[in-house]
Short mmCIF file of all heavy atoms in Angstrom, two decimals:
data_model
loop_
_atom_site.label_atom_id
_atom_site.label_comp_id
_atom_site.label_asym_id
_atom_site.label_seq_id
_atom_site.Cartn_x
_atom_site.Cartn_y
_atom_site.Cartn_z
N ASP A 1 107.22 104.69 26.77
CA ASP A 1 107.87 103.61 26.04
C ASP A 1 107.16 102.27 26.26
O ASP A 1 106.00 102.15 25.91
CB ASP A 1 109.36 103.54 26.39
CG ASP A 1 110.11 104.78 25.90
OD1 ASP A 1 109.67 105.40 24.91
OD2 ASP A 1 111.13 105.13 26.51
N ASN A 2 107.84 101.27 26.81
CA ASN A 2 107.26 99.94 27.03
C ASN A 2 106.69 99.91 28.45
O ASN A 2 107.41 99.71 29.42
CB ASN A 2 108.33 98.87 26.85
CG ASN A 2 108.91 98.90 25.46
OD1 ASN A 2 108.20 98.75 24.48
ND2 ASN A 2 110.21 99.15 25.36
N ASP A 3 105.38 100.12 28.53
CA ASP A 3 104.78 100.34 29.84
C ASP A 3 103.37 99.76 29.87
O ASP A 3 102.77 99.48 28.83
CB ASP A 3 104.71 101.84 30.11
CG ASP A 3 104.74 102.23 31.57
OD1 ASP A 3 104.68 101.34 32.44
OD2 ASP A 3 104.84 103.44 31.83
N LYS A 4 102.85 99.56 31.08
CA LYS A 4 101.47 99.12 31.30
C LYS A 4 100.90 99.97 32.41
O LYS A 4 101.61 100.35 33.34
CB LYS A 4 101.41 97.65 31.72
CG LYS A 4 101.79 96.67 30.66
CD LYS A 4 101.68 95.25 31.18
CE LYS A 4 102.12 94.25 30.12
NZ LYS A 4 102.02 92.86 30.60
N GLY A 5 99.61 100.25 32.31
CA GLY A 5 98.97 101.01 33.38
C GLY A 5 97.46 100.92 33.27
O GLY A 5 96.92 100.43 32.27
N SER A 6 96.80 101.39 34.31
CA SER A 6 95.34 101.40 34.32
C SER A 6 94.86 102.56 35.17
O SER A 6 95.60 103.09 36.01
CB SER A 6 94.79 100.08 34.85
OG SER A 6 95.15 99.91 36.20
N CYS A 7 93.62 102.95 34.94
CA CYS A 7 92.99 103.97 35.76
C CYS A 7 91.48 103.79 35.69
O CYS A 7 90.96 103.12 34.79
CB CYS A 7 93.40 105.38 35.35
SG CYS A 7 92.98 105.85 33.68
N THR A 8 90.79 104.39 36.63
CA THR A 8 89.34 104.31 36.68
C THR A 8 88.75 105.52 35.98
O THR A 8 89.19 106.65 36.21
CB THR A 8 88.85 104.26 38.13
OG1 THR A 8 89.44 103.11 38.76
CG2 THR A 8 87.35 104.18 38.22
N LEU A 9 87.77 105.27 35.11
CA LEU A 9 87.08 106.33 34.38
C LEU A 9 85.71 106.54 34.98
O LEU A 9 84.98 105.59 35.21
CB LEU A 9 86.95 105.95 32.90
CG LEU A 9 88.23 105.57 32.17
CD1 LEU A 9 87.91 105.12 30.75
CD2 LEU A 9 89.21 106.73 32.16
N ALA A 10 85.36 107.80 35.23
CA ALA A 10 84.04 108.11 35.76
C ALA A 10 83.00 108.06 34.65
O ALA A 10 83.27 108.53 33.54
CB ALA A 10 84.06 109.51 36.40
N PRO A 11 81.84 107.47 34.90
CA PRO A 11 80.84 107.36 33.85
C PRO A 11 80.32 108.72 33.39
O PRO A 11 80.17 109.64 34.19
CB PRO A 11 79.71 106.55 34.50
CG PRO A 11 80.08 106.31 35.91
CD PRO A 11 81.44 106.88 36.15
N GLY A 12 80.07 108.82 32.09
CA GLY A 12 79.48 110.02 31.51
C GLY A 12 80.45 111.15 31.21
O GLY A 12 80.03 112.24 30.84
N PHE A 13 81.73 110.91 31.32
CA PHE A 13 82.73 111.95 31.05
C PHE A 13 83.47 111.63 29.76
O PHE A 13 83.48 110.51 29.29
CB PHE A 13 83.74 112.04 32.21
CG PHE A 13 83.17 112.70 33.43
CD1 PHE A 13 82.51 111.95 34.38
CD2 PHE A 13 83.28 114.07 33.60
CE1 PHE A 13 81.96 112.54 35.51
CE2 PHE A 13 82.74 114.68 34.74
CZ PHE A 13 82.08 113.91 35.70
N THR A 14 84.09 112.66 29.20
CA THR A 14 84.89 112.47 27.99
C THR A 14 86.36 112.47 28.36
O THR A 14 86.79 113.15 29.30
CB THR A 14 84.62 113.58 26.95
OG1 THR A 14 84.90 114.85 27.52
CG2 THR A 14 83.18 113.53 26.47
N TYR A 15 87.13 111.72 27.60
CA TYR A 15 88.57 111.57 27.81
C TYR A 15 89.22 111.54 26.44
O TYR A 15 88.55 111.46 25.41
CB TYR A 15 88.87 110.24 28.52
CG TYR A 15 88.25 110.13 29.89
CD1 TYR A 15 86.95 109.63 30.05
CD2 TYR A 15 88.96 110.53 31.02
CE1 TYR A 15 86.38 109.52 31.31
CE2 TYR A 15 88.39 110.41 32.27
CZ TYR A 15 87.10 109.92 32.41
OH TYR A 15 86.55 109.81 33.65
N ARG A 16 90.52 111.56 26.43
CA ARG A 16 91.25 111.32 25.20
C ARG A 16 92.62 110.73 25.50
O ARG A 16 93.20 111.00 26.55
CB ARG A 16 91.36 112.57 24.35
CG ARG A 16 92.41 113.56 24.75
CD ARG A 16 92.50 114.72 23.76
NE ARG A 16 93.58 115.60 24.06
CZ ARG A 16 93.49 116.65 24.89
NH1 ARG A 16 92.34 116.93 25.47
NH2 ARG A 16 94.53 117.41 25.14
N PHE A 17 93.08 109.91 24.54
CA PHE A 17 94.49 109.53 24.51
C PHE A 17 95.21 110.58 23.70
O PHE A 17 94.70 111.03 22.66
CB PHE A 17 94.69 108.19 23.79
CG PHE A 17 94.11 106.99 24.47
CD1 PHE A 17 93.70 105.90 23.72
CD2 PHE A 17 93.98 106.92 25.84
CE1 PHE A 17 93.17 104.78 24.32
CE2 PHE A 17 93.46 105.80 26.46
CZ PHE A 17 93.04 104.73 25.69
N GLU A 18 96.39 110.94 24.13
CA GLU A 18 97.26 111.81 23.33
C GLU A 18 98.64 111.20 23.38
O GLU A 18 99.15 110.95 24.48
CB GLU A 18 97.26 113.23 23.90
CG GLU A 18 98.08 114.20 23.09
CD GLU A 18 98.00 115.61 23.64
OE1 GLU A 18 96.90 116.21 23.59
OE2 GLU A 18 99.03 116.09 24.14
N TRP A 19 99.21 110.91 22.22
CA TRP A 19 100.51 110.29 22.21
C TRP A 19 101.50 111.08 21.36
O TRP A 19 101.13 111.76 20.42
CB TRP A 19 100.45 108.83 21.77
CG TRP A 19 99.89 108.57 20.41
CD1 TRP A 19 100.57 108.55 19.23
CD2 TRP A 19 98.53 108.29 20.07
NE1 TRP A 19 99.73 108.27 18.18
CE2 TRP A 19 98.47 108.10 18.67
CE3 TRP A 19 97.35 108.17 20.80
CZ2 TRP A 19 97.27 107.81 18.01
CZ3 TRP A 19 96.19 107.89 20.14
CH2 TRP A 19 96.16 107.71 18.76
N HIS A 20 102.75 110.99 21.78
CA HIS A 20 103.86 111.67 21.11
C HIS A 20 104.92 110.59 20.84
O HIS A 20 105.27 109.85 21.75
CB HIS A 20 104.45 112.76 22.01
CG HIS A 20 103.45 113.78 22.42
ND1 HIS A 20 103.43 115.03 21.88
CD2 HIS A 20 102.40 113.73 23.30
CE1 HIS A 20 102.44 115.73 22.42
NE2 HIS A 20 101.80 114.96 23.27
N VAL A 21 105.40 110.52 19.61
CA VAL A 21 106.46 109.58 19.25
C VAL A 21 107.57 110.33 18.54
O VAL A 21 107.32 111.30 17.82
CB VAL A 21 105.93 108.42 18.36
CG1 VAL A 21 104.92 107.57 19.12
CG2 VAL A 21 105.32 108.92 17.07
N TRP A 22 108.81 109.89 18.74
CA TRP A 22 109.94 110.50 18.06
C TRP A 22 111.13 109.55 18.10
O TRP A 22 111.26 108.71 18.98
CB TRP A 22 110.29 111.84 18.69
CG TRP A 22 110.78 111.76 20.11
CD1 TRP A 22 112.07 111.74 20.54
CD2 TRP A 22 109.97 111.69 21.29
NE1 TRP A 22 112.11 111.65 21.91
CE2 TRP A 22 110.84 111.62 22.39
CE3 TRP A 22 108.60 111.68 21.53
CZ2 TRP A 22 110.37 111.55 23.70
CZ3 TRP A 22 108.16 111.59 22.84
CH2 TRP A 22 109.04 111.54 23.89
N SER A 23 111.99 109.71 17.09
CA SER A 23 113.21 108.91 17.02
C SER A 23 114.18 109.55 16.05
O SER A 23 113.77 110.12 15.04
CB SER A 23 112.90 107.48 16.56
OG SER A 23 114.09 106.75 16.42
N GLN A 24 115.44 109.40 16.36
CA GLN A 24 116.49 109.86 15.46
C GLN A 24 117.01 108.71 14.58
O GLN A 24 117.85 108.92 13.71
CB GLN A 24 117.64 110.46 16.24
CG GLN A 24 118.35 109.45 17.14
CD GLN A 24 119.43 110.07 17.99
OE1 GLN A 24 119.74 111.25 17.85
NE2 GLN A 24 120.02 109.29 18.86
N TYR A 25 116.50 107.51 14.81
CA TYR A 25 116.96 106.35 14.07
C TYR A 25 116.20 106.20 12.76
O TYR A 25 115.18 106.84 12.54
CB TYR A 25 116.81 105.08 14.93
CG TYR A 25 117.57 105.17 16.21
CD1 TYR A 25 116.92 105.32 17.41
CD2 TYR A 25 118.97 105.12 16.22
CE1 TYR A 25 117.62 105.41 18.59
CE2 TYR A 25 119.67 105.21 17.40
CZ TYR A 25 119.00 105.36 18.59
OH TYR A 25 119.70 105.46 19.75
N ASN A 26 116.71 105.31 11.90
CA ASN A 26 116.09 105.13 10.59
C ASN A 26 114.78 104.36 10.63
O ASN A 26 113.99 104.48 9.72
CB ASN A 26 117.05 104.44 9.63
CG ASN A 26 118.13 105.40 9.15
OD1 ASN A 26 117.92 106.60 9.14
ND2 ASN A 26 119.27 104.88 8.76
N LYS A 27 114.54 103.57 11.66
CA LYS A 27 113.29 102.81 11.73
C LYS A 27 112.89 102.65 13.19
O LYS A 27 113.72 102.30 14.01
CB LYS A 27 113.45 101.45 11.07
CG LYS A 27 112.16 100.67 10.98
CD LYS A 27 112.35 99.38 10.21
CE LYS A 27 111.03 98.65 10.09
NZ LYS A 27 111.17 97.39 9.34
#
């Protein structure tokens, strides 16, 4: 949800963001 964070990435590696969103509301 409403969050902040950080992490260290090792050089030369691949990563990905994967996100999931859902709501039962109209907007």
Side-chain angles (χ1 to χ4, degrees):
D1 294 333
N2 300 301
D3 207 352
K4 292 181 183 180
S6 65
C7 61
T8 301
L9 305 176
F13 286 87
T14 58
Y15 299 88
R16 79 175 185 272
F17 294 152
E18 183 177 294
W19 59 88
H20 302 254
V21 296
W22 65 97
S23 176
Q24 64 184 355
Y25 301 108
N26 285 335
K27 186 174 182 181

